[in-house]
Amino acid sequence: MKQSSLLWNYGVVSQTILAAILGVGVSAIATEVDSPQTQASIAVPANPDNETFAPLTPIAQLPNPRGDSSDEIWEQINHYSNETNALDQVTNVSQLRDVSPGDWAYEALRSLVERYGCIAGYPDGTYRGNRAMTRYEFAAGLNACLQQIERLIAGTDGVGEGDLETLQRLIQEFEAELATLGARVDNLEGRVAFLEDNQFSTTTKLSGEVIFGLTGVAAGEDANGDDIDNVTIFGHRTRLELNTSFTGEDVLRTRLQAEGLGSLTEQTITPEGDLFFAGATDSDVVIDALLYDFPLGENTRVVIDANAGASDDFASTVNPFLDGDGGSGALSRFGTRHPIYYYLDGAGIGINHAFGDKLELSAGYLASEAADPGDDTGIFNGPYGALAQILFKPSDRLNIGLTYIHAYNRDTDTGSRRSNFRSFTEDLIGNAVPTSSNSYGVELSWRLSDRFALGGWVGYTQTTTLSTLDGQIDRGDLDIWNWAVSLAFPDLGKEGSVAGILVGMEPKVTDSSVNIGGIDIEDEDTSLHIEAFYQYQLTDNIAITPGIIWLTAPDHDSDNEDIVIGAIRTTFSF
């Protein structure tokens, strides 16, 4: 065979091996490349039928957007070559246990392994074909295959002429595709370099949510029996969230929040029907949620809340379609989640442990005045809530929760005024009576089909007064009940949209042994909370949710005319 033909064959095979490596990925190949003095450029004949050689561009003259010197490039290639030298050489593709005959690149891998012997596997017997590679790794792998081809051509068992003709034909057939692929790789590399140079942080992701809320009371009387002024209000709740990960499995979450939409309680004089995303009106920016979430073993997660922690930080509220923390799902505080979860708020710790796929245990403790060094405050002396919950998951579509919560000096800010006994006594006699409570709840979420889900809960709370306030109040207990049934219609009208209907009874004092100056503490009547909304997903980042809340016998008092609240929530997420 003439020298020109030999070199031509070498050039053809080199290009073919390049195409093969691009097709299957080079995650573990190589022998150490020669020095840059001997490998900086290679000349091949421009045509197999003549002796005219077209020299390849030396590495030092190649376009280099990163600004690396040729010596640095060779050092990188040698680094990856040396790194892959430690891998296990394979002689049969069957030795790679994560490669199967059904894989799309199986035949190409088999050829590279069994015919050319320039593929190595990881020590654990895997190939890891889906792993991304750098251009230096690619160069090291290509060099290994080229050296192997040199040996094959130089030896007696060289590459057959028929094989070379086949390879040449393949190269010509896919020439356009290879050129396009090369351009795309260069483009992607440029975009990645730009992102690396302009990214906010290598460890932190920024996300945000802005709610525009338009709401008002359309009709009804307040808890004192007076007509409610029909005042329409418009405002916002804005959140910026920084999620930082140090290991890839942990999260340090810092959330900034500003509220600019007042609570309707000022008009209705009852916590019933209050919107979840309403609150302050000053638009002051504050640190809201501040927590660190990290794994402890394979099945346990620990959450440390430093500020504004909530039960849903570490425990499921078993209400996936209605609990969107105000930004999605239900509009009201009551409709978002079982009211007993609101007994937990502040700073503390939570733990979630999974016993396989069917059972989950959550436990946590949060103190609402943990940072206050004053009297009757702090982590253990001030108001707190402690939760224990077992979540049964018989299937992906059915979740059942059993929840117990013990709380001290806490209200839920839902239901009647009497059910929030501390704030009730503070409004009535000027002092909030110390209380402790034990709450028990059962929650259910059952997705009967892709387009329909049934949910709900029932809860009982026993609140005990711990002081008479110098004889102003009797010591005793209050029995408080609440329940709800919800229907959700996911993807109604458009993928990502959801419609919801909820009917329930917000917390009501059904029995009481407490008396304040002859005032009956029990709620004599029953108020129903009826809520309907439709969350339309306008785009991936914008959702519009009109809804209505109807309260019969407000504050569990049939003497009050029904309250009707309308709201339109627009949520921007990014």
Side-chain angles (χ1 to χ4, degrees), residues 172-210:
Q172 292 173 348
E173 181 178 350
F174 292 98
E175 182 177 3
E177 287 80 358
L178 288 173
T180 301
L181 181 60
R184 292 179 63 185
V185 169
D186 290 340
N187 181 49
L188 288 173
E189 184 183 53
R191 294 174 63 183
V192 169
F194 176 82
L195 291 174
E196 289 177 344
D197 292 339
N198 295 274
Q199 64 183 329
F200 173 75
S201 169
T202 58
T203 59
T204 302
K205 293 183 179 180
L206 172 66
S207 61
E209 180 186 81
V210 178

Side-chain angles (χ1 to χ4, degrees), residues 301-319:
R301 298 201 66 86
V302 179
V303 179
I304 299 176
D305 281 295
N307 190 64
S311 56
D312 64 323
D313 290 338
F314 55 88
S316 170
T317 59
V318 202
N319 199 20

Side-chain angles (χ1 to χ4, degrees), residues 14 52 80 87 92 170 234 264 285 329 344 359 387 391 412 446-447 450 480 523 539 544 549 569:
S14 301
T52 303
Y80 288 110
L87 306 181
N92 191 296
L170 288 173
F234 176 75
L264 294 177
V285 178
L344 273 75
L359 185 64
L387 174 148
L391 181 64
T412 66
W446 190 3
R447 189 166 186 172
D450 291 341
I480 304 170
D523 291 315
T539 69
I544 300 176
I549 301 169
R569 176 187 65 203

